[in-house]
Amino acid sequence: MPELTTTPAGAAAKLPRHIAAIMDGNGRWARLRGLPRSAGHAAGAETFRRIATYCRDLGLEHFTVYAFSTENWKRSADEVDAIMGLLKKYLLESIEKMERDRIRLKILGDTSALSGELRELIDATDAIARRLSGCFQANVCLNYGGRDEIVRAVKRFCSEHPAGELTERALSDSLDTAGIPDPDLIIRTGGEYRLSNFLLWESAYSELVFSDVLWPDFTPEDIDAAIAEFARRDRRYGGVTS
Ligand code: FPP
């Protein structure tokens, strides 16, 4: 995999509005240190906090992460509990600090399968987020799958508009990501080259950057490098370069 290079000037010239990240490599990061996988997720949650703050400071509008997929329930109960515990901790912190930090938190995914406690915390963050307009938004995908999101969106559209025509615009407006611009750049850490059911509809024209760095080790310099790589890309959306 080629090394990413950092050119902050180029990055500033073409800043994405929305970066999304597949935070892969927490388990391997922990194993390399002889730690339980939960320690890798705890370190990964700290990296999320650092990178989200950095994206806010750069002037991005959205940063979206894949925290727990519809397939991640296959993991051990201990690991699932550890991830849910970290999400609870982060939601509690957000309720306390969202207004001060100007980071609007939004949970995306099918929250109906989550514990009542988590759902109450999500409702509380949503209520605060509604009062905060025009600020940076961190989106956390939780019990999220791209295919599941599309199926739920179609069902939502059909129940809300029984006689309506399903168009691309209408489907976009029925997704969990309604109102959020499609990600300009999707970064996957941990050395794997796939989307793993992440933002399948929204990624139609996203630029993809893959990094070998394990997510807990991912730094603001790595974000700069990914943005610099993004700035070098020629986005044609099916057209031709003028
Ligand atoms: C993928 O790495 C990571 C996950 C499935 C969980 C990510 C969750 C967190 C970082 C914690 C909570 C998040 C927030 C936003 C507070 P992996 O476990 O598949 O790594 P591996 O491929 O090395 O095993």
Side-chain angles (χ1 to χ4, degrees):
M1 196 177 291
E3 280 303 307
L4 297 174
T5 53
T6 307
T7 51
K14 253 183 164 182
L15 191 68
R17 290 175 75 190
H18 180 180
I19 295 182
I22 301 176
M23 310 184 284
D24 200 10
N26 295 346
R28 279 165 283 164
W29 183 93
R31 197 178 61 233
L32 284 167
R33 287 160 180 77
L35 297 169
R37 292 179 62 83
S38 56
H41 296 313
E46 286 309 312
T47 301
F48 161 72
R49 190 198 311 272
R50 200 163 48 247
I51 298 294
T53 305
Y54 185 68
C55 288
R56 178 200 65 186
D57 295 344
L58 280 179
L60 262 69
E61 294 172 30
H62 287 270
F63 178 60
T64 302
V65 290
Y66 205 5
F68 193 86
S69 77
T70 44
E71 289 75 36
N72 284 153
W73 298 105
K74 293 177 200 156
R75 298 188 179 207
S76 75
D78 278 355
E79 184 169 349
V80 171
D81 287 350
I83 295 173
M84 294 300 164
L86 289 164
L87 288 157
K88 176 182 164 188
K89 186 171 158 225
Y90 190 76
L91 283 162
L92 283 166
E93 275 178 30
S94 286
I95 289 168
E96 202 183 311
K97 296 184 184 155
M98 207 189 307
E99 284 169 288
R100 186 200 73 185
D101 292 348
R102 306 280 302 160
I103 297 185
R104 204 165 180 257
L105 178 71
K106 175 88 183 145
I107 301 293
L108 308 177
D110 180 4
T111 54
S112 67
L114 303 175
S115 70
E117 187 186 33
L118 273 186
R119 278 186 280 129
E120 275 175 28
L121 292 174
I122 292 168
D123 288 345
T125 53
D126 282 346
I128 301 170
R130 276 194 290 276
R131 298 202 294 271
L132 275 177
S133 61
C135 71
F136 171 78
Q137 184 163 313
N139 305 297
V140 173
C141 295
L142 180 52
N143 193 30
Y144 174 88
R147 290 181 174 184
D148 179 67
E149 182 193 27
I150 293 168
V151 170
R152 285 186 292 103
V154 172
K155 286 182 179 165
R156 189 177 298 147
F157 176 82
C158 292
S159 85
E160 288 174 6
H161 311 277
E165 187 194 352
L166 185 59
T167 60
E168 289 191 15
R169 176 81 265 156
L171 183 62
S172 291
D173 290 344
S174 301
L175 292 168
D176 298 340
T177 52
I180 299 173
D182 287 343
D184 302 292
L185 168 62
I186 298 182
I187 300 168
R188 182 174 186 141
T189 61
E192 308 278 8
Y193 297 79
R194 54 179 172 263
L195 281 177
S196 300
N197 205 11
F198 185 48
L199 301 177
L200 295 184
W201 178 272
E202 299 86 341
S203 62
Y205 284 100
S206 302
E207 295 298 326
L208 308 180
V209 167
F210 298 96
S211 163
D212 285 334
V213 174
L214 303 176
W215 176 254
D217 290 330
F218 201 72
T219 62
E221 289 72 31
D222 294 314
I223 282 282
D224 284 344
I227 293 174
E229 169 63 31
F230 168 81
R232 287 191 288 272
R233 303 271 175 94
D234 178 22
R235 303 186 80 192
R236 293 189 297 281
Y237 299 94
V240 290
T241 308
S242 55

